[in-house]
Amino acid sequence: MTNIEIGISQGSPISPILFLIYIRYLFTKRSNTSERILSYLNDIGLVVSSKSIEENYQLLQKLAQDLLVKQHNNYMQFDMEKTELIHFHSKRAFNLENESYSVKIGESIIQPKSLVKWLGIWLDSKLTFKQHVEKKITQALKLLNQIERLSNTERGLSFQAIRQLYIACISSVADYGVPVWWNNQKNMLEKFQKLQNIALRKMLGAFKTSPINAMELEASIPPPEVRFERICKNYAWRTLQMHENHPIKLRVSSSFPPHSNGMELDWEQF
């Protein structure tokens, strides 16, 4: 006789592979181009688009019912407490308390929200990403205040160490999701520049009246705008290297990458 252990160890590299195999029957190719099922491991999103919220409601209701059937057939269970609903629209006035805008999944009624979080990106109803930027800046400022305690002008961490912490722990948090929302929005750029100005003064021990360009050159840290452009170009370069059937590659326009005078651009400049 021997004991039988069911399952795999926590953190096993084979875990996500087995999980994807297990849930493969949940995702079938949709004949309706206005319906899409997104998935990143156990985070599943139902996306529908139409010219009216009423039609969206009907499409979402049908998609949810289909998933409930597959859930029971494959011995799965969705966490309804984590299920969220948001309507993307361009209306000036939108009553979230309207019952016709909610979706019923089984015995649960999901009320729409004005802001939801999907894979670390905060999405608002109009896709302005203002709340996302504010939350990331606030999170980065908290980290900056914590790192500030480790150094001052007389003792503590060196300039090189503080600079490395800023790049690895602060700017990386603030810049999360830049390829999604960055479109040269000057009002959002100012918030990142203010964050960097505070970090540069703490890093260099400079006065508040010190020129920003001089501090960036001294610390060898590019302005946020330059950093954002580099992040977006690197993402474009990774997109070109994806497989033709990759979900992101399928969503890219057929005119990508852009051409100049009939010749492809030199992507090595990225």
Side-chain angles (χ1 to χ4, degrees):
M1 301 293 293
T2 182
N3 294 328
I4 299 177
E5 295 184 1
I6 300 177
I8 56 178
S9 59
Q10 180 72 22
S12 173
I14 199 175
S15 176
I17 299 176
L18 294 177
F19 182 79
L20 291 175
I21 295 175
Y22 187 72
I23 65 172
R24 67 191 184 279
Y25 294 115
L26 289 178
F27 311 106
T28 55
K29 189 174 182 180
R30 313 299 300 181
S31 57
N32 190 348
T33 57
S34 62
E35 302 176 0
R36 285 188 293 145
I37 301 180
L38 309 177
S39 171
Y40 184 81
L41 293 181
N42 62 337
D43 291 325
I44 299 175
L46 308 181
V47 182
V48 299
S49 59
S50 68
K51 295 183 178 180
S52 66
I53 296 179
E54 290 73 16
E55 185 176 351
N56 279 350
Y57 165 79
Q58 297 175 0
L59 293 174
L60 282 174
Q61 196 76 37
K62 185 177 183 303
L63 278 177
Q65 294 299 332
D66 292 343
L67 279 182
L68 287 180
V69 173
K70 295 178 181 179
Q71 166 189 268
H72 296 299
N73 294 341
N74 293 275
Y75 302 99
M76 301 177 185
Q77 184 176 2
F78 295 111
D79 190 352
M80 300 308 301
E81 293 183 357
K82 295 182 179 179
T83 303
E84 296 178 311
L85 170 66
I86 186 171
H87 294 292
F88 300 110
H89 61 90
S90 57
K91 295 182 178 180
R92 292 186 178 180
F94 188 79
N95 184 14
L96 292 176
E97 297 180 357
N98 192 330
E99 295 182 357
S100 61
Y101 295 158
S102 60
V103 174
K104 185 177 182 181
I105 303 178
E107 301 298 328
S108 303
I109 298 178
I110 312 301
Q111 297 290 345
K113 295 183 177 181
S114 59
L115 185 69
V116 298
K117 186 180 181 180
W118 170 254
L119 300 180
I121 305 294
W122 291 93
L123 305 172
D124 58 276
S125 297
K126 296 185 181 297
L127 292 177
T128 62
F129 297 100
K130 291 181 179 179
Q131 290 90 337
H132 172 80
V133 170
E134 290 177 358
K135 290 180 178 294
K136 290 303 175 181
I137 292 293
T138 302
Q139 186 179 356
L141 278 173
K142 289 181 179 179
L143 291 173
L144 179 59
N145 293 333
Q146 294 174 359
I147 294 175
E148 182 186 358
R149 301 173 185 174
L150 303 176
S151 175
N152 55 43
T153 56
E154 297 180 357
R155 70 180 102 179
L157 296 178
S158 63
F159 156 74
Q160 292 82 0
I162 295 296
R163 178 183 180 275
Q164 186 63 33
L165 285 173
Y166 171 75
I167 296 174
C169 303
I170 299 176
S171 63
S172 61
V173 170
D175 297 351
Y176 184 81
V178 164
V180 176
W181 61 264
W182 173 242
N183 191 25
N184 297 312
Q185 301 98 320
K186 299 301 180 182
N187 57 333
M188 295 186 181
L189 183 62
E190 292 177 357
K191 299 180 180 180
F192 288 88
Q193 187 64 60
K194 290 181 180 179
L195 171 66
Q196 180 155 301
N197 295 348
I198 297 173
L200 288 171
R201 294 188 185 101
K202 301 296 183 182
M203 195 183 306
L204 299 171
F207 295 107
K208 291 184 178 181
T209 56
S210 300
I212 302 303
N213 294 338
M215 289 193 296
E216 290 174 342
L217 290 173
E218 184 69 21
S220 187
I221 294 179
E225 185 174 6
V226 175
R227 193 170 71 236
F228 292 172
E229 292 296 330
R230 184 179 68 246
I231 292 174
C232 292
K233 289 179 179 179
N234 287 339
Y235 186 80
W237 173 242
R238 292 198 302 272
T239 303
L240 289 176
Q241 296 176 318
M242 293 176 181
H243 191 272
E244 293 298 328
N245 294 328
H246 194 284
I248 295 179
K249 195 67 175 291
L250 295 175
R251 298 290 297 175
V252 173
S253 173
S254 58
S255 61
F256 179 81
H259 293 73
S260 177
N261 297 328
M263 300 295 291
E264 291 189 2
L265 292 177
D266 183 10
W267 290 93
E268 293 183 358
Q269 61 182 318
F270 292 169

